[in-house]
């Protein structure tokens, strides 16, 4: 996000927040392993090392069950604190969690115009944005680029019911921001919004229907101001 306040539209590429968290966790791990393959040493101060190496969280399921479940004694208090802060975006351990939906949403002017491409509906949304901007709606599935496509192991994508619940609870405010983005998107109609909420119910059913969270939304003004 490096747009001026005068831009016509602010584009968000979004996905189900739980799916985003899982993808970002696996992406960060893959990047860390690539650093290691290039001669990375455990003594070097990569921030992501704090999650994967120091706390031994190598799957998101393990991260959730050991790091986020209250009363768990399978991780140190430091690692449990680190896990929650990382997922909330208050510590820059994993870059895609730190720069979350709330960060980008609050980086815009309050009256900014928003358009959205949902990862689950890339072709339809891409074409709707093209139409809105006066272009041709000729984007096809075959044209979608594939990135971060290393083959996933079953344990890398598995999330237990316990893990899903605690991840969704921690992501509650991020989910509310996700809803706000979709509601404000000028290329998303009510039917499409409802469609995304139905999809969200399959991953975070409680947070999909609730409009408030047990924890107050974080004040990130210093974080936003420090990046621009």
């Amino acid at each position: 996000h490096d747009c001026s306040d005068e831009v016509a539209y602010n584009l968000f590429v979004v996905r189900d927040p739980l799916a985003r968290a899982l993808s970002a966790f696996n992406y960060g791990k893959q990047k860390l392993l690539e650093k290691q393959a290039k001669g990375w040493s455990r003594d070097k101060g990569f921030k992501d090392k704090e999650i994967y190496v120091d706390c031994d969280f190598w799957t998101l399921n393990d991260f959730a069950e050991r790091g986020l479940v209250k009363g768990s004694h399978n991780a140190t208090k430091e690692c449990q604190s680190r896990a929650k802060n990382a997922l909330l975006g208050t510590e820059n351990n994993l870059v895609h969690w730190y720069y979350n939906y709330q960060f980008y949403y609050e980086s815009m002017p309050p009256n900014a115009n928003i358009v959205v491409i949902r990862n689950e509906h890339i072709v339809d949304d891409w074409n709707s944005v093209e139409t809105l901007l006066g272009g041709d709606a000729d984007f096809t599935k075959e044209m979608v680029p594939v990135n971060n496509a290393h083959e996933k192991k079953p344990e890398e994508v598995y999330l237990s019911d316990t893990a899903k619940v605690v991840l969704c609870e921690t992501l509650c405010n991020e989910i509310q921001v996700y809803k706000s983005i979709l509601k404000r998107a000028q290329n998303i109609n009510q039917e499409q919004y409802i469609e995304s909420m139905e999809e969200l119910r399959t991953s975070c059913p409680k947070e999909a229907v609730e409009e408030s969270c047990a924890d107050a939304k974080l004040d990130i003004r210093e974080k936003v101001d420090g990046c621009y």
Side-chain angles (χ1 to χ4, degrees), residues 68 84 87-88 165-174 207:
L68 297 178
K84 184 173 183 178
L87 190 59
L88 289 174
V165 168
V166 72
L167 286 165
C168 290
E169 287 177 349
T170 308
L171 288 168
C172 181
N173 282 300
E174 181 76 346
E207 291 74 18

Side-chain angles (χ1 to χ4, degrees), residues 59-71:
T59 68
L60 187 62
N61 190 75
D62 194 43
F63 170 96
E65 291 191 345
R66 292 175 51 226
L68 297 178
V69 173
K70 294 180 180 178

